[in-house]
């Protein structure tokens, strides 16, 4: 059953066209991975699917009574709430849309499920205020909230971010069992391979759909690009012959010659294959000396929770430093 359809949508940000006449649909039970190089509009497409943004052109049609829940990249929470209060409030709002009896959604049952999921994702202090959570903890708390909320379509933006390997494996198994429809963006290719049964690629404003997992997508995309490259080589070969004909002094004296010139102009004006661009950073060689950043006795706490205490370190030029530690210990704060 078709739950959602977008037709010929376009979206522009600061004169950059992310989506250009793109079409897409979600069927009941599908688990769709949305991929593309950075900046192509993956998160924008998710927001349009979730109703958080509207396209500049085109249409978005959602089925009657279809409920969608969205996990953003950077979730926000109400200040002053505990983590348990925040999850229960969010899930309760979602549950109010479902036609189920009050007994099925008693507060104690919802709290029990919330505690189970939070514990599984490394959040064990249920009375902690949300404003004191690390970035990773906030993302995991938001993930708990969307998983607890009944819906027809789950829209997930980078659900595996801030998960360790055990948590990612648990989420992978959870979503494989999930009976609803999922549309998600993730850079974890193994997660895409295991969970998704369809891959959607955003490429130069267009959407290409592949009824396969990520490994199958790689083979299908290569085939599509080979066909496109062969077509472009053929166009260039014909165009060279047409240019030579024009250079011999073609004159549009007959209907046949006019048609020939028109074919040449069509070939000439056709767009060739645009190569994918990668981000290039210019090197900086103007820094003087070996020291780049020096930390002296730094401390950082959120409320009574101390993350960094009297830490000193000198980062030298050309250092390659990795930060490791348990989730919520302060890695991102130190960065």
């Amino acid at each position: 059953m078709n739950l959602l359809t977008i037709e010929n949508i376009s979206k522009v940000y600061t004169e950059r066209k992310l989506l250009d006449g793109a079409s897409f649909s979600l069927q009941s039970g599908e688990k769709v991975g949305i991929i593309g190089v950075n900046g192509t509009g993956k998160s924008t497409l998710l927001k349009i699917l979730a109703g958080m943004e509207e396209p500049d052109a085109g249409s978005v049609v959602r089925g009657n009574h279809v409920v969608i829940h969205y996990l953003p990249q950077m979730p926000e929470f109400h200040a002053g709430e505990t983590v348990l209060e925040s999850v229960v409030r969010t899930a309760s709002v979602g549950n109010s849309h479902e036609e189920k009896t009050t007994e099925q959604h008693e507060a104690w049952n919802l709290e029990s499920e919330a505690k189970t999921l939070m514990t599984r994702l490394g959040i064990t202090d249920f009375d902690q205020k949300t404003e004191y959570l690390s970035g990773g903890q906030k993302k995991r708390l938001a993930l708990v909230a969307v998983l607890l909320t009944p819906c027809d379509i789950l829209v997930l933006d980078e659900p595996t971010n801030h998960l360790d390997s055990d948590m990612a494996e648990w989420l992978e198994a959870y979503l494989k069992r999930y009976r609803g429809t999922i549309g998600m963006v993730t850079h974890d290719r193994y997660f895409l391979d295991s969970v998704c049964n369809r891959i959607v690629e955003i490429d130069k404003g267009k959407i290409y759909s592949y009824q396969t997992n990520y490994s199958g997508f790689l083979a299908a995309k290569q085939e599509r690009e080979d066909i496109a490259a062969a077509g472009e080589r053929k166009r260039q070969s014909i165009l060279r012959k047409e240019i030579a004909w024009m250079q011999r002094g073609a004159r549009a004296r007959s209907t046949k010659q006019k048609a020939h010139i028109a074919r040449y102009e069509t070939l000439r004006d056709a767009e060739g294959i645009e190569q994918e661009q990668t981000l290039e950073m210019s090197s900086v060689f103007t820094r003087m000396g070996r020291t780049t950043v020096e930390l002296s006795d730094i401390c950082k706490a959120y409320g009574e929770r101390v993350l960094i205490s009297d830490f000193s370190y000198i980062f030298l030029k050309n250092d390659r430093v990795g930060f490791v530690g348990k989730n919520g210990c302060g890695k991102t704060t130190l960065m």
Side-chain angles (χ1 to χ4, degrees):
M1 182 177 68
N2 190 14
L3 299 180
L4 183 149
T5 300
I6 62 176
E7 294 184 352
N8 298 317
I9 66 167
S10 297
K11 188 69 176 181
V12 177
Y13 275 117
T14 61
E15 300 183 355
R16 183 183 181 191
K17 184 168 283 190
L18 296 179
L19 299 170
D20 183 13
S23 297
F24 174 77
S25 65
L26 275 175
Q27 306 293 323
S28 178
E30 282 192 313
K31 296 173 182 177
V32 180
I34 300 171
I35 64 174
V37 299
N38 288 335
T40 54
K42 302 185 296 296
S43 291
T44 298
L45 178 60
L46 289 188
K47 291 176 183 176
I48 291 174
L49 295 179
M52 308 297 292
E53 288 193 17
E54 295 295 328
D56 298 326
S59 63
V60 180
V61 180
R62 299 175 182 86
N64 292 333
H65 310 299
V66 168
V67 178
I68 302 173
H69 285 297
Y70 169 61
L71 173 70
Q73 276 197 33
M74 300 180 67
E76 297 180 356
F77 298 90
H78 294 178
E81 285 186 330
T82 67
V83 296
L84 182 59
E85 290 169 343
S86 179
V87 168
V88 170
R89 175 184 56 78
T90 304
S92 296
V93 171
N95 286 329
S96 67
H97 295 294
E98 298 294 307
E99 295 180 0
K100 297 181 179 179
T101 63
T102 304
E103 289 77 17
Q104 289 175 309
H105 296 288
E106 292 177 348
W108 64 267
N109 189 37
L110 188 58
E111 287 189 9
S112 177
E113 292 180 29
K115 289 177 180 179
T116 298
L117 288 185
M118 282 192 288
T119 300
R120 193 64 189 80
L121 293 179
I123 300 173
T124 56
D125 184 357
F126 307 133
D127 295 322
Q128 185 177 10
K129 300 296 184 182
T130 57
E131 58 262 40
Y132 299 134
L133 296 177
S134 69
Q137 288 173 318
K138 288 180 179 179
K139 187 63 179 278
R140 283 180 274 131
L141 186 64
L143 179 59
V144 169
V146 297
L147 294 180
L148 275 177
T149 310
C151 63
D152 302 294
I153 301 175
L154 265 181
V155 178
L156 308 175
D157 199 346
E158 298 286 3
T160 57
N161 275 10
H162 307 291
L163 300 184
D164 61 26
S165 58
D166 289 340
M167 294 175 187
E169 288 178 4
W170 173 83
L171 180 62
E172 178 183 315
Y174 185 97
L175 294 181
K176 285 172 71 173
R177 296 191 304 269
Y178 185 76
R179 294 186 178 182
T181 299
I182 301 172
M184 67 177 173
V185 170
T186 176
H187 289 96
D188 187 334
R189 63 164 295 173
Y190 301 103
F191 200 85
L192 289 170
D193 255 344
S194 178
V195 175
C196 296
N197 53 29
R198 179 177 164 209
I199 299 295
V200 165
E201 181 190 21
I202 304 177
D203 185 16
K204 303 176 186 69
K206 303 298 182 183
I207 290 178
Y208 300 90
S209 180
Y210 303 84
Q211 295 291 338
T212 180
N213 62 7
Y214 185 76
S215 295
F217 152 76
L218 291 177
K221 180 183 179 181
Q222 186 62 56
E223 182 180 356
R224 174 172 70 83
E225 291 180 342
D226 289 345
I227 292 172
E232 176 61 13
R233 287 194 297 270
K234 182 178 180 180
R235 184 182 77 88
Q236 292 293 342
S237 177
I238 296 172
L239 183 57
R240 283 193 294 271
K241 295 177 182 178
E242 295 299 312
I243 290 174
W245 180 77
M246 291 291 292
Q247 289 174 341
R248 289 197 296 268
R251 298 287 185 269
R253 294 195 182 101
S254 67
T255 301
K256 187 175 182 180
Q257 281 190 325
K258 289 178 180 178
H260 198 159
I261 292 173
R263 286 197 300 273
Y264 157 73
E265 291 174 343
T266 300
L267 283 168
R268 179 197 64 193
D269 297 337
E271 293 185 1
I273 298 175
E274 181 182 345
Q275 297 298 318
E276 288 189 1
Q277 297 180 349
T278 56
L279 180 64
E280 294 183 0
M281 301 292 286
S282 58
S283 298
V284 179
F285 293 106
T286 58
R287 183 180 294 119
M288 301 300 292
R290 297 186 65 231
T291 300
T292 59
V293 177
E294 183 173 352
L295 307 180
S296 299
D297 302 318
I298 67 167
C299 301
K300 181 65 177 178
Y302 287 99
E304 296 181 354
R305 187 177 179 209
V306 177
L307 295 181
I308 302 169
S309 178
D310 295 325
F311 176 66
S312 299
Y313 192 85
I314 298 175
F315 294 87
L316 300 179
K317 185 176 181 180
N318 297 324
D319 271 355
R320 303 291 187 268
V321 181
F323 295 167
V324 299
K326 293 182 179 179
N327 286 324
C329 71
K331 300 185 298 294
T332 299
T333 299
L334 180 58
M335 292 280 282

